[in-house]
Amino acid sequence: MKRNILIGIPFIIAFLIGSCMVLGPLKGKIPSLLGVNPSVHIMIILTISLYLYFSLTKPKVAEKSARDSLGALGNLAVYIVAALFIAGAVINLLPSKTIAAFLGEQAGLMAVLVGVGIGCILPACPFITYPIVMGVYAAGAGLPGVMGMLFGSGTAFACVLSCDLTYFNSKIMGLRLLLTISAALVAGFLAYLTLTVLG
Amino acid sequence: MGHVKKIIGGSWSHRIVLIVAICIYLGTLMINPEVAKSSAEISLKEIQKLAIPIVMAMFLGGLVKNLITRESVSKLFGTSEPREVLTAGAVGSILPPCPFTAYPVIKGFKDTGMRFPALMTMLVTSTVVEGPQIFAGIVILGTAIEGARILFAFLASLIVAYIFLIYTRRRRLSTSRG
């Protein structure tokens, strides 16, 4: 236990120094290949620090995590690229007038309803769904509609429904759908109210 | 055939994304090649910007998935139902977003005696809050939107969960009286 804490201290220090560097002297100087947001750079430092720490303290966990991640990456790479291509097309193809009418700021609460409705049928995987949502945002949707899409994302997706039926039953699936869509709508309305209050 | 399956995967629910992308680009290429070219350029720039951060987010997600086990969090559950719902909500929020990974864990909790309102709360938060998506969210959406997403999703899930708890308690009460 003490050994793990001792090993952890240098990694915590390295993580803190690295985070301060990307927020301070290195801000804006990091190649865009590593992302443009400083919080992304901090996340990269955190990932490297944690993997180094666990490879020393719990090598089996680090190895299994790396293997799982590589497996997921191999399985999802094509879909992630496809989703990013869809996002690029959405920006150019969807008429900004239509998006503004249904998902724009002026659509008000309807944007939340439409957003949750669209989100429900999007895949549960964030690496596929988020680029598409950001594509819609870039094409002219307002924040309430975008938040609605994010809250609703994956709630009625085929994988989740099949897991409901595999691990539980149709009664639980129906009830989960009702409760998750209600929660997504409540979250959307809360976000809408907050944005209205904040102006 | 084996290689094709390896590249495009075995899940039709995911293949649809690929089919939609191909259809959009083929259609646009035939109708307006300039728009297709511009869309592809935007996408390639995004891919270049997001490739390494997405890989890192996946690695971090993989680590979280292996560190959070049923055994490591089961001691947090109390005996009172409202606390059980709150803990179930919190635990559900940190489960991996993939249902094929999260559902066996939730089923494990149910099998160890977690009550029905807590089970539903865990299912709701695991689908709506999806805490481990934070890494993908920060990379793709940005910190502010991702932070707001998690905060509002968690609050709303708990509101719905406690309304459901009150409803089930009242129903239980009326059944025992009747």
Side-chain angles (χ1 to χ4, degrees), chain B residues 68-89:
Chain B
I68 298 166
T69 58
R70 188 158 56 88
E71 292 74 29
S72 64
V73 289
S74 56
K75 50 185 170 243
L76 300 170
F77 287 82
T79 48
S80 82
E81 223 171 2
R83 186 183 158 180
E84 194 185 29
V85 164
L86 180 68
T87 315

Side-chain angles (χ1 to χ4, degrees), chain A residues 75-198:
Chain A
N75 289 334
L76 289 173
V78 177
Y79 306 123
I80 294 170
V81 172
L84 286 165
F85 268 91
I86 291 175
V90 161
I91 295 169
N92 277 329
L93 290 176
L94 281 185
S96 46
K97 263 190 185 173
T98 314
I99 290 186
F102 290 102
L103 288 164
E105 303 283 355
Q106 67 269 37
L109 280 175
M110 193 185 72
V112 175
L113 285 171
V114 174
V116 170
I118 297 171
C120 282
I121 52 163
L122 287 174
C125 174
F127 293 103
I128 297 170
T129 300
Y130 287 2
I132 297 172
V133 175
M134 281 317 271
V136 175
Y137 186 39
L143 265 180
V146 166
M147 294 304 287
M149 283 177 83
L150 292 173
F151 295 134
S153 72
T155 49
F157 190 57
C159 289
V160 188
L161 297 179
S162 66
C163 280
D164 280 327
L165 292 174
T166 309
Y167 289 98
F168 303 104
N169 53 44
S170 57
K171 186 188 150 201
I172 288 186
M173 182 184 82
L175 194 55
R176 186 199 59 78
L177 269 175
L178 176 74
L179 294 176
T180 46
I181 292 171
S182 307
L185 287 172
V186 172
F189 293 146
L190 284 175
Y192 174 77
L193 284 175
T194 311
L195 287 165
T196 312
V197 170
L198 293 174

Side-chain angles (χ1 to χ4, degrees), chain B residues 169-178:
Chain B
R169 278 186 159 188
R170 281 198 177 169
R171 211 174 147 193
R172 225 180 292 148
L173 210 67
S174 64
T175 316
S176 63
R177 273 183 193 158

Side-chain angles (χ1 to χ4, degrees), chain A residues 48-78:
Chain A
I48 295 167
S49 311
L50 282 175
Y51 268 91
L52 286 175
Y53 170 72
F54 281 112
S55 61
L56 290 175
T57 54
K58 289 179 180 174
K60 276 186 183 167
V61 171
E63 195 193 321
K64 188 174 183 297
S65 304
R67 227 182 309 122
D68 288 353
S69 311
L70 284 173
L73 194 64
N75 289 334
L76 289 173
V78 177

Side-chain angles (χ1 to χ4, degrees), chain A residues 32-37 39-40 43-44 46-48 50-51 54 58 61-62 64-70 72-76 78-89 91-93 123-128 130-134 137 143 146-147 150-151 153-155 157-160 162-164 167-168 171-172 175-176 179-184 186-187 190-191 194, chain B residues 6-11 13-18 20-21 24-25 28 35 38-44 46-67 97-100 103-104 106-107 110 116 119-121 123-125 127-128 130 133-143 145-146 148-150 152-153 155-157 159-160 164:
Chain A
S32 63
L33 268 179
L34 295 172
V36 285
N37 190 333
S39 50
V40 172
M43 189 201 75
I44 292 173
L46 179 69
T47 311
I48 295 167
L50 282 175
Y51 268 91
F54 281 112
K58 289 179 180 174
V61 171
K64 188 174 183 297
S65 304
R67 227 182 309 122
D68 288 353
S69 311
L70 284 173
L73 194 64
N75 289 334
L76 289 173
V78 177
Y79 306 123
I80 294 170
V81 172
L84 286 165
F85 268 91
I86 291 175
I91 295 169
N92 277 329
L93 290 176
C125 174
F127 293 103
I128 297 170
Y130 287 2
I132 297 172
V133 175
M134 281 317 271
Y137 186 39
L143 265 180
V146 166
M147 294 304 287
L150 292 173
F151 295 134
S153 72
T155 49
F157 190 57
C159 289
V160 188
S162 66
C163 280
D164 280 327
Y167 289 98
F168 303 104
K171 186 188 150 201
I172 288 186
L175 194 55
R176 186 199 59 78
L179 294 176
T180 46
I181 292 171
S182 307
V186 172
L190 284 175
T194 311
Chain B
K6 211 174 177 183
I7 294 166
I8 64 167
S11 150
S13 52
H14 280 141
R15 279 180 190 165
I16 285 170
V17 178
L18 196 62
V20 167
I24 287 175
Y25 276 86
T28 319
V35 174
S38 147
S39 304
E41 276 170 7
I42 294 171
S43 310
L44 286 172
E46 281 299 304
I47 290 170
Q48 198 183 16
K49 214 163 60 184
L50 291 174
I52 294 175
I54 283 177
V55 171
M56 286 293 160
M58 284 194 135
F59 268 82
L60 202 50
L63 198 58
V64 169
K65 192 182 93 180
N66 281 302
L67 289 175
C98 174
F100 294 108
Y103 271 57
I106 300 172
K107 177 86 167 46
K110 183 188 172 260
F116 191 62
L119 167 72
M120 291 316 297
T121 308
L123 284 172
V124 169
T125 51
T127 326
V128 179
E130 298 175 315
Q133 286 193 3
I134 190 168
F135 311 118
I138 288 172
V139 169
I140 302 164
L141 307 169
T143 322
I145 294 181
E146 182 58 13
R149 185 191 72 78
I150 290 183
F152 288 123
L155 281 177
S157 300
I159 291 169
V160 169
F164 182 67

